[in-house]
Amino acid sequence: MRTTAAGEHPGRVTWNGAGRRHPSARAGAEPAAADGGGPAPGELSMVLAQAEVSAIEAVGGFAGGLYMRSGAPELLRLAVIAGLPAKLFQHWSRMHVNRPFPHSDVYRSGRPVYLYDAEEAMRRYPQLMAGLPFPFASLYVPITHEGETFGVLAVLRPATPGLPVDEGDRRRLHEIGANLAATLAAIEAGGPRIEWDDEPMAVTLPSVTAPPVRIGSFDWDLEAGTVTGDEGWCAILGTTPDRLPVTVKALAARVEPEDAYGLWALARQAAASDRPVNRRMRLQGSDGRPHLLEITGRRGRLRDGPPGTHLTGFLIDLGAGPVVAEAADRLPYGVCNVDRLGRITYLNHRAETLLALPRTELVGRVLWEAVPWFGQAAYEDHYRAALLSSDPVHFVVNRGGDWLSVSLFPGADGLTATLSQGEHPAYTPESVATPGTGLGPPADRAVALYRPVALAIALTEAVTARQVSAVVTEELLPAFGGRQLAIYLLSNRHLHLAWETGFPRGFLNRFEGVGLDAKLPGVETLTSGRPLFFESMQHLAAAYPGIPLDAHVGARAFLPLIASGRPVGTCILGFDQPRGFGPEERTVLTALAGLIAQALQRARRYDSEAALARGLQDGLLPRRLPVVDHVDTVGRYLPCTQGMDVGGDWYDVVETGGGLAIVIGDVQGHGVSAAATMGQLRSAVRALAVSGHSPEEVMSGTNRLLIDLDPGQFASCCYIVLDPATGSARAVRAGHLQPLLRHPDGRTEVLELSGGVVLGVDADVVYPVTDLRLAPGALLALFTDGLVEQPGNDIDQGIESLRQTLSDVGSSPLADTADRLINEARRNADRPDDIALLLAARWSEPSDTPSQPARGAR
């Protein structure tokens, strides 16, 4: 146990994982320990490892992992990984509690999850199978005690298609999880909160297939012709201690005649020699099992016994192991055996030659660490496939210029690899996996690796539902050779067509608005959450008699669009020709459907929010500016186009008892919140202005209101009260850009108005007032930063460009001037921010120009 140190989370205990090598230990060597017996695991390490191993054995698993809560509340960490190499599964060592994975669901809900085959896992957790698209079953139970959840216990085992996990396995796994939770609660009761913030412990599972090794010792008196032995010796040869001693003749009858003759020859050699005898030979028992005989003896007195000739030694039952080793050495190809942690346990002579390393440097080391060219990331999926499924895996490896053909044959206790000289492939090895391991032909494998990434990237940039559908058309159809695509979205328990391409005109109209009770594959795939694949239209017609069919004869795939457990709609893929759908291809399509569903759900939420925000903005911006003597005003507004969102820019013109108030402002951010805040601020400014407050009082009051309404939100504002008759004005500014003033002679300057910090930061800030005067023929321009700020350019350059344009417009009508100032921004289809512009021009006499619509440029 390692207690909290400086810089660590206070009041927490972190634990060192047991069994991990010391950083200074060389590969293949055991870590040093004070007692010479290896690392000593802490109490928690032993408890967790024992529970995981017990869980795996209890339900017939071949591997498993135990996730524990960590110091980060949103993160689970893998504490124990049993029966699998930790390095190959390091991407799964951290699990966010809100991710759509079974571990996270179990931790949050406190309820177990049982996935009995790959089909069930794909239906419920496509993201899990997208990362591990192999046919295995997985079981997950919470580690919970009296409402406190410590983590999740997971077991991997062979898939049982169509056969759910039986009650006995569920009960045993639940009991192990509950007992572990009670133990952890007892440990925690005597100390700080238990959290795991270390790397995972890799645990070797007990062998379930290797026969037990039996050893027996014996004493052979050559002069008396009798043999005595211990219980182990008796058990191997099928006799009992009460029948001892036995004659050598009786003993020889229990082995093959050829072996008996060899045994007698060894005895005669020992009797005739004056030198010690040390021999090893193999005897075959009457049951056909081979036994290893280790013999030591010499003529004369043996130890403290009587004079004579004695042979002593051991009889060892190793099963078929030695015979297999010798047989493998005679094979023309390499044979290498590794355990479930990837450590080499055996290799034949040919494997030594092909790997160019001797056994002494390989046995005990991890295959992909001991042989560098085996350790490329491109091959990791093949190792994972062999460890998680029962299917053999075949691939080729570049051995620094020439090629090896590699096959991995999985078993309960590890993998057997065969190695042979291979030919240079016609494709990139990283892009292909042969049947049973990947996506079939090289082109399919390349698609599987590239297209999901391309689709995911494109979906992150798609905002509207139409943009998402267009991305699917451009990326998904070419990836799988499809020609038709239809996307239906769910609304009020009915499916409505949102996008189609490739279908005959009007063919899909008959399916518009179908209810969730309709007997149609597009409905069933959504209600069941299970993808449906039909290799031809004949298969589709057989499954749904009477369903309308188009002229195409190809295959169909119906994918459920489900995001975070909520139904979104259905995606239909059509193909020109009949075709099959392999398990890996189904996995990829199901995972991609999940991505599409998430993007569509996000787009629908965004569309709803954008519509609400635009509605708010339509109601909050002034529709028409007031008409007053001596002053004309024109306003323009352009929304941003990046993200199709709305912002918080606003302007207003208010008639007050002290003059005409000209206002412009910009609320931080975009969306409904910014639009709502903008409306509140505009109303506050208008109310304070109409009530006769001075400019500084209007700004201070609005500032305090924003702090009360939404702490953390801020806005800029410029407020000017103009006397139309005299042209005198009083201006106050809160962090907003300086206005432009064009004099009657055309000279245009950037005003220097005193100001304070933006609204919403400091309730006690004082906003100074600046006095100025507009001569007849002068024009005042107030604007937000979207008009003058461009990515990559300094804002001062934008302001100077706007000043120059305003200076050059001459005596154009005010509306034309506003249009000219905003036209350049209007031509830019990629506007990152919204734009507000307000112009006020003073005349000596009332203008004949009627007031302009306030939002003419929208």
Side-chain angles (χ1 to χ4, degrees):
M1 184 179 78
R2 175 168 56 86
T3 54
T4 303
E8 293 181 340
H9 193 287
R12 179 167 93 234
V13 174
T14 55
W15 306 82
N16 283 325
R20 291 184 296 114
R21 292 178 176 173
H22 190 278
S24 64
R26 66 176 177 85
E30 291 296 327
D35 58 2
E43 180 184 10
L44 179 64
S45 301
M46 291 187 292
V47 168
L48 298 181
Q50 177 186 352
E52 182 60 45
V53 172
S54 299
I56 294 171
E57 292 184 334
V59 296
F62 57 75
L66 192 153
Y67 284 83
M68 292 285 290
R69 64 191 183 190
S70 69
E74 74 284 356
L75 197 65
L76 297 176
R77 295 198 62 166
L78 184 62
V80 178
I81 180 169
L84 294 171
K87 181 179 179 181
L88 286 184
F89 294 85
Q90 60 186 347
H91 296 303
W92 291 268
S93 64
R94 291 170 172 82
M95 186 70 64
H96 198 286
V97 297
N98 290 320
R99 292 292 303 279
F101 285 90
H103 323 67
S104 306
D105 278 358
V106 171
Y107 182 79
R108 292 194 313 268
S109 67
R111 294 189 297 271
V113 168
Y114 305 109
L115 307 174
Y116 50 84
D117 64 6
E119 198 77 24
E120 173 73 2
M122 282 192 290
R123 183 181 69 82
R124 299 180 59 182
Y125 298 99
Q127 289 88 344
L128 172 67
M129 298 309 293
L132 297 171
F134 314 117
F136 64 93
S138 53
L139 293 72
Y140 311 83
V141 294
I143 306 171
T144 303
H145 182 76
E146 295 182 352
E148 183 177 16
T149 301
F150 295 92
V152 177
L153 198 62
V155 174
L156 309 183
R157 71 180 193 179
T160 56
L163 296 177
V165 180
D166 63 55
E167 288 300 325
D169 287 342
R170 298 185 185 208
R171 175 177 46 78
R172 285 187 289 272
L173 204 57
H174 172 76
E175 289 175 354
I176 293 172
N179 291 338
L180 173 59
T183 302
L184 295 180
I187 295 175
E188 190 176 72
R193 173 182 168 89
I194 292 178
E195 295 169 346
W196 188 274
D197 285 305
D198 210 336
E199 295 302 311
M201 298 183 294
V203 178
T204 302
L205 294 174
S207 174
V208 296
T209 59
V213 177
R214 297 184 295 175
I215 302 177
S217 62
F218 66 89
D219 185 293
W220 181 359
D221 187 337
L222 295 179
E223 292 187 355
T226 58
V227 180
T228 59
D230 61 8
E231 292 184 357
W233 182 83
C234 293
I236 294 173
L237 292 181
T239 186
T240 57
D242 60 339
R243 296 179 179 178
L244 299 181
V246 297
T247 65
V248 177
K249 185 176 181 180
L251 178 63
R254 297 179 181 273
V255 300
E256 293 296 316
E258 297 85 351
D259 294 337
Y261 296 145
L263 187 61
W264 280 111
L266 177 61
R268 289 180 177 273
Q269 182 184 13
S273 175
D274 293 331
R275 303 175 64 183
V277 175
N278 293 281
R279 293 289 187 270
R280 172 185 294 179
M281 67 180 301
R282 188 165 292 115
L283 302 179
Q284 183 171 329
S286 58
D287 61 354
R289 294 176 62 84
H291 310 305
L292 183 65
L293 189 69
E294 296 275 0
I295 298 176
T296 301
R298 65 176 301 167
R299 189 174 65 179
R301 183 182 298 274
L302 183 66
R303 296 179 184 169
D304 297 329
T309 301
H310 282 249
L311 295 179
T312 64
F314 298 94
L315 185 62
I316 306 171
D317 179 10
L318 289 177
V323 175
V324 171
E326 290 181 359
D329 278 338
R330 303 185 189 107
L331 295 175
Y333 51 84
V335 176
C336 178
N337 198 63
V338 299
D339 65 13
R340 292 200 63 85
L341 301 188
R343 297 173 301 193
I344 300 172
T345 58
Y346 168 78
L347 69 161
N348 67 351
H349 292 317
R350 181 57 177 162
E352 287 184 280
T353 302
L354 292 173
L355 299 179
L357 288 170
R359 294 187 202 186
T360 53
E361 294 187 23
L362 291 174
V363 173
R365 297 181 62 188
V366 176
L367 174 63
W368 40 85
E369 294 177 358
V371 184
W373 34 270
F374 258 125
Q376 297 182 27
Y379 308 134
E380 290 184 359
D381 242 3
H382 303 313
Y383 305 139
R384 282 190 285 265
L387 289 166
L388 294 181
S389 73
S390 57
D391 298 326
V393 176
H394 314 281
F395 59 103
V396 290
V397 174
N398 188 342
R399 192 178 54 169
D402 58 350
W403 297 85
L404 280 185
S405 177
V406 181
S407 294
L408 301 177
F409 298 91
D413 293 324
L415 308 175
T416 295
T418 61
L419 315 170
S420 60
Q421 206 75 39
E423 297 181 356
H424 192 293
Y427 49 82
T428 304
E430 299 84 23
S431 68
V432 65
T434 54
T437 68
L439 289 173
D444 290 344
R445 182 64 173 176
V447 161
L449 294 175
Y450 166 73
R451 288 297 185 179
V453 174
L455 179 62
I457 293 173
L459 286 176
T460 61
E461 300 173 353
V463 177
T464 67
R466 290 189 62 83
Q467 289 174 337
V468 171
S469 301
V471 166
V472 176
T473 302
E474 295 168 2
E475 296 292 344
L476 190 63
L477 283 184
F480 295 92
R483 294 292 182 269
Q484 298 170 311
L485 172 72
I487 293 179
Y488 285 84
L489 297 180
L490 181 65
S491 178
N492 296 324
R493 297 187 57 80
H494 288 77
L495 288 173
H496 298 278
L497 184 64
W499 181 273
E500 67 166 305
T501 184
F503 285 93
R505 181 183 297 275
F507 173 75
L508 296 179
N509 292 346
R510 68 198 74 191
F511 304 110
E512 171 61 25
V514 297
L516 295 186
D517 56 349
K519 180 63 175 176
L520 292 170
V523 173
E524 185 174 337
T525 189
L526 182 61
T527 55
S528 68
R530 181 170 54 91
L532 302 175
F533 299 93
F534 300 96
E535 297 181 356
S536 67
M537 297 300 283
Q538 289 80 4
H539 287 130
L540 176 59
Y544 294 88
I547 187 173
L549 302 176
D550 61 11
H552 287 74
V553 296
R556 288 287 186 275
F558 296 83
L559 307 176
L561 301 180
I562 298 175
S564 303
R566 296 182 178 181
V568 175
T570 297
C571 179
I572 304 173
L573 296 180
F575 302 86
D576 286 343
Q577 300 296 326
R579 55 162 293 170
F581 297 92
E584 294 85 358
E585 192 172 39
R586 296 182 183 214
T587 300
V588 172
L589 283 171
T590 304
L592 293 179
L595 291 177
I596 296 167
Q598 294 282 354
L600 284 171
Q601 186 182 54
R602 183 179 66 249
R604 295 180 74 179
R605 285 198 306 263
Y606 188 86
D607 287 343
S608 298
E609 181 175 318
L612 176 59
R614 295 201 188 284
L616 281 172
Q617 200 165 45
D618 284 342
L620 295 174
L621 286 175
R623 293 187 176 275
R624 189 171 293 275
L625 301 180
V627 178
V628 297
D629 290 340
H630 301 288
V631 174
D632 282 344
T633 56
V634 170
R636 294 290 184 265
Y637 175 82
L638 283 179
C640 67
T641 57
Q642 285 188 2
M644 302 298 291
D645 211 341
V646 296
D649 290 19
W650 92 94
Y651 58 84
D652 205 356
V653 177
V654 184
E655 293 184 89
T656 74
L660 189 67
I662 302 168
V663 193
I664 197 163
D666 186 358
V667 177
Q668 172 204 18
H670 294 82
V672 173
S673 176
T677 301
M678 176 268 284
Q680 292 169 319
L681 293 185
R682 176 174 176 256
S683 298
V685 170
R686 176 173 282 271
L688 291 170
V690 172
S691 299
H693 289 79
S694 64
E696 60 268 34
E697 291 173 338
V698 170
M699 197 64 72
S700 296
T702 306
N703 176 49
R704 287 190 294 270
L705 175 65
L706 179 57
I707 292 175
D708 292 339
L709 285 175
D710 190 359
Q713 179 71 281
F714 60 85
S716 67
C717 184
C718 185
Y719 179 90
I720 301 174
V721 178
L722 172 67
D723 183 340
T726 65
S728 62
R730 305 187 71 213
V732 61
R733 190 173 60 87
H736 200 82
L737 296 175
Q738 298 280 7
L740 298 180
L741 176 61
R742 193 189 70 185
H743 296 277
D745 58 3
R747 180 174 55 89
T748 304
E749 63 176 319
V750 179
L751 294 177
E752 295 293 337
L753 305 181
S754 300
V757 298
V758 292
L759 305 174
V761 175
D762 184 359
D764 298 323
V765 68
V766 175
Y767 294 97
V769 177
T770 302
D771 293 320
L772 65 149
R773 183 177 181 279
L774 269 68
L779 186 151
L780 188 66
L782 287 74
F783 50 91
T784 57
D785 53 5
L787 184 61
V788 293
E789 190 172 29
Q790 295 293 330
N793 294 329
D794 190 89
I795 192 172
D796 290 339
Q797 295 178 359
I799 293 174
E800 173 57 27
S801 177
L802 181 67
R803 186 199 67 79
Q804 187 64 48
T805 302
L806 183 60
S807 178
D808 294 342
V809 293
S811 58
S812 302
L814 194 61
D816 292 346
T817 300
D819 289 337
R820 181 169 176 180
L821 293 180
I822 211 167
N823 270 347
E824 184 175 352
R826 184 189 288 115
R827 286 192 293 268
N828 185 3
D830 190 24
R831 295 188 295 274
D833 199 0
D834 47 350
I835 298 170
L837 171 68
L838 180 60
L839 302 182
R842 182 171 177 262
W843 309 97
S844 57
E845 296 294 337
S847 173
D848 294 332
T849 305
S851 63
Q852 298 294 322
R855 292 163 294 154
R858 291 198 65 189

